[in-house]
Structure formats: structure tokens, C-alpha cells
Amino acid sequence: MESVSFLSTLPALSSRPFSQPSLQFTTSRNFHVRVCCLARGEQWQMRRRDLVGCVGTVVGLEMIANYGKFTKEAEAADLIQRRQRSEFQSNIKGTLDKAIRASPDLVPAILKLSLNDAMTYDKATKSGGANGSIRLSPELSRPENSGLASALSLLEEAKKEIDSYSKGGPISYADLIQFAAQTALKKTFLDAAIRKCGGNEDKGRTLYTAYGSNGQWGLFERQFGRSDSPDPDPEGRIPQWDKASVQDMKDKFSAIGLGPRQLAVMSAFLGPDQLETETLLASDKDVLPWVQKYQRSRETVSQTDYEVDLITTLTKLSTLGQQINYEAYTYPVQKVDFSKLKL
């Protein structure tokens, strides 16, 4: 119970010609208000609008007094949701890693699947993008998506397992496809580290842990909560990468706000043979310096320039056309009924 004097906050009352009454408002946590008006020896009648103003002030201050409590509760709920999403995401990565390791030959197709799902984005209409529409047969059967059905089948099987342990609803294909690309990329980064250690897997893992790019995935992993499109994206938005000229590729990347740098770093996504793709890209004077930069970077111990730029580009592509739902996959926490506990 708290008692507060409000007279100093009410100029309409304090300027009245009669002697000032002593106003006290006593508030409690359930917003009950008690008004005491003492006119110090004379009668004084409070106008209705003055009373309403006073009550409004009481309620306002009561809300301020409880603001800290509300904020703490909101922060606690947010922390719970973040932990739920983090745990779910960790389990997803484990499932995808197991699936991809069992079919390493599908890595190029998984990378291309994520690229082609995202590259349908159209800036003018703000339609398309990383919305999982590539799962739909009218889109998957298009020439530019030839050979990607096996990669999608792998992810569909992984989705069944993921949905079986999800407490916050099934994972969207949009999230599944982009996180599969992340897992596939991590595998290529780790494999490169193992090769640099003469094929010794333990040393390669140690090398990747010490010099790898795991710490650069933060922004990508926060973009978790993509929604699926119920319809296929329009045709004609993606070139057939294996038949397109470098200029065609540059034009497509430019149409979504990317340039020669991003085109060069995404070479592994454009075809099964990265070196062959880079040889083609290097024939263009705008792309050549970036191809050379990333080839040099891959020869270093850490591959820092290559890995960081690739992660940054994938992160941007993976959110095209999306409004991320940052509460996706969260669920109510069951409260413990302490009255039923036997102590």
C-alpha cells in the first residue's frame, strides 16, 4: 500500500481561490483508489472532471510502478522463447548433419536447391524468394531445377524426423532448405580443413575449430521463422546456371541487389564442379578479381575471406522475400502445480 499526494501535479486545482484541500490517493496493487478531501475548516466540493483527472493520474502512476514487473516478465518470456528456438535449431542441425553425411554426393544439389528457392525473388513486386515454393512439383519440374528432386527427397525424410520431436509445430520448408544449405556448407568447410591436415579427421576438426568460421553464423541463425508459400513462384525468374552466360548470371544477381563479388563467392552453388564454374566466371573482367581472391583464400589455413563472404551472401539470399517470425517454433511452458507436490 502506497500513499501519494497529487496536488502539485494538478494546476487546475491548485489555482482555485479557496484554501487548498489536502488530497490523498491511496492505491493498492488491484488499482482500487481511495480519495480523501479535507478542506481545512471549510467545505470544498470537487468537480467531476477534476476527480477524473486525479484518478487518471493515480492509474498512470500505478502502471509506472508496475512497469518494472511487466518488463521483467516480458524479458523472462523472451529468454524462454530464445532458449526453445535455440534447442530446436540445435536438434535440426544434428538431424541434417546426419542425413547429409549419409549422402555426401547430394551436397551440390542441396546448395543449388537453396539458391534456386531464394533467387525467384523479384524486387519490383517483392514476391518470390526463400519461401520453400521449390518443393512444389510445378516449380521443381522446371528446367533450371533439373536434378534437385533427390536433394528435396533427402530433406523431406529429415523433415519427418524433425517434426516428430518439434514441440512448436512442423518446420517450414523455407527454413529447412536454408538450414540444409548451412549444414552442407559447414561440411565443405570442415572437409577442406581435413584435407589440409593430410586427411586426419581429428586434426582437421581441431584446425576448423581454431580457425574456422563457426562464429560468423550468428545473423543467419537468428533469421529462423521463414514462412512457406502455398503456390509456386512465377516462371522465368532463374536462368539455367549450367547454360547461362556470365552476363546472364551477373544480370540475375544484379536484379536482386548483388554484384560480381557475390556471384564469385557463390560458385559452389551454381554447379557440381566448382573449379569448372570458376573457370567460366573468370572469363569476365568484373568477376575475375573476386574469383582469384577466393581461390587464394581457400589455399590458406583459415579460408577466412572465402568463408565469411560466403556466409554473408547466403544469409542475405536466405531472407529474400521474408518477414521473419521470431516467435516461430516456441510453445507454452507447462506450469508446475505446487499444490500437488508431496513434500
Side-chain angles (χ1 to χ4, degrees):
M1 190 75 74
E2 298 169 344
S3 182
V4 185
S5 176
F6 296 99
L7 192 55
S8 62
T9 66
L10 300 173
L13 292 179
S14 60
S15 61
R16 296 179 70 88
F18 47 77
S19 59
Q20 293 179 345
S22 173
L23 295 179
Q24 279 198 332
F25 288 77
T26 304
T27 64
S28 63
R29 291 297 175 194
N30 58 4
F31 294 105
H32 287 176
V33 181
R34 187 171 62 203
V35 183
C36 300
C37 299
L38 300 177
R40 290 181 183 152
E42 60 179 286
Q43 279 193 328
W44 180 74
Q45 187 171 2
M46 195 178 201
R47 292 181 302 174
R48 181 183 176 189
R49 67 181 182 184
D50 295 330
L51 177 60
V52 171
C54 291
V55 172
T57 305
V58 172
V59 173
L61 290 183
E62 182 72 13
M63 292 176 68
I64 292 172
N66 284 289
Y67 177 76
K69 174 186 174 184
F70 296 151
T71 302
K72 289 178 182 177
E73 289 177 352
E75 288 176 349
D78 185 55
L79 286 173
I80 290 171
Q81 289 181 336
R82 277 188 281 173
R83 185 173 70 246
Q84 290 173 348
R85 284 161 57 87
S86 177
E87 290 174 354
F88 183 44
Q89 198 177 109
S90 179
N91 291 334
I92 291 169
K93 293 176 187 177
T95 300
L96 289 171
D97 183 66
K98 181 176 66 175
I100 291 172
R101 286 187 176 282
S103 302
D105 55 311
L106 289 180
V107 166
I110 291 170
L111 296 179
K112 187 176 179 181
L113 185 74
S114 71
L115 176 67
N116 283 10
D117 191 42
M119 292 288 277
T120 57
Y121 181 67
D122 179 68
K123 287 178 67 176
T125 60
K126 292 183 170 52
S127 61
N131 55 20
S133 64
I134 199 170
R135 76 191 187 279
L136 302 171
S137 56
E139 187 170 335
L140 186 65
S141 61
R142 294 172 187 167
E144 65 267 22
N145 296 325
S146 176
L148 301 184
S150 54
L152 182 62
S153 295
L154 177 74
L155 300 191
E156 286 175 334
E157 288 301 311
K159 187 178 190 303
K160 292 177 184 177
E161 181 179 343
I162 291 167
D163 290 347
S164 72
Y165 57 68
S166 173
K167 298 177 182 178
I171 186 172
S172 70
Y173 276 93
D175 275 334
L176 180 70
I177 290 169
Q178 298 307 318
F179 274 83
Q182 180 202 39
T183 303
L185 266 190
K186 284 187 173 183
K187 182 182 183 306
T188 66
F189 294 164
L190 178 59
D191 288 349
I194 292 172
R195 285 195 300 272
K196 289 170 185 174
C197 292
N200 187 307
E201 186 168 336
D202 290 338
K203 289 183 178 180
R205 289 183 179 279
T206 301
L207 176 64
Y208 183 63
T209 300
Y211 294 99
S213 58
N214 263 331
Q216 303 298 322
W217 287 104
L219 180 58
F220 176 90
E221 293 177 352
R222 284 196 293 274
Q223 313 307 306
F224 187 41
R226 300 169 182 81
S227 58
D228 283 340
S229 170
D231 304 307
D233 288 334
E235 293 187 63
R237 292 188 174 183
I238 301 178
Q240 290 182 246
W241 303 113
D242 58 340
K243 295 182 179 181
S245 67
V246 181
Q247 187 60 51
D248 289 337
M249 298 183 196
K250 287 168 62 179
D251 290 344
K252 178 56 192 176
F253 271 70
S254 177
I256 59 171
L258 301 177
R261 178 175 187 166
Q262 289 76 28
L263 174 57
V265 82
M266 294 293 287
S267 58
F269 287 66
L270 300 171
D273 189 328
Q274 185 175 17
L275 291 179
E276 181 180 331
T277 301
E278 287 183 331
T279 299
L280 173 63
L281 294 176
S283 65
D284 184 276
K285 64 180 179 61
D286 295 327
V287 189
L288 174 61
W290 298 108
V291 170
Q292 293 173 333
K293 174 184 174 71
Y294 296 129
Q295 287 178 340
R296 288 193 301 268
S297 178
R298 291 202 300 270
E299 293 172 359
T300 65
V301 171
S302 62
Q303 298 194 133
T304 301
D305 288 343
Y306 173 67
E307 292 187 7
V308 171
D309 283 6
L310 186 47
I311 291 168
T312 301
T313 303
L314 177 62
T315 299
K316 181 169 184 177
L317 284 168
S318 72
T319 54
L320 288 175
Q322 285 288 340
Q323 292 291 327
I324 303 298
N325 175 14
Y326 293 99
E327 295 183 356
Y329 313 119
T330 61
Y331 50 91
V333 178
Q334 186 174 4
K335 295 183 178 180
V336 178
D337 187 353
F338 291 100
S339 65
K340 296 182 181 180
L341 293 178
K342 294 182 180 180
L343 302 176

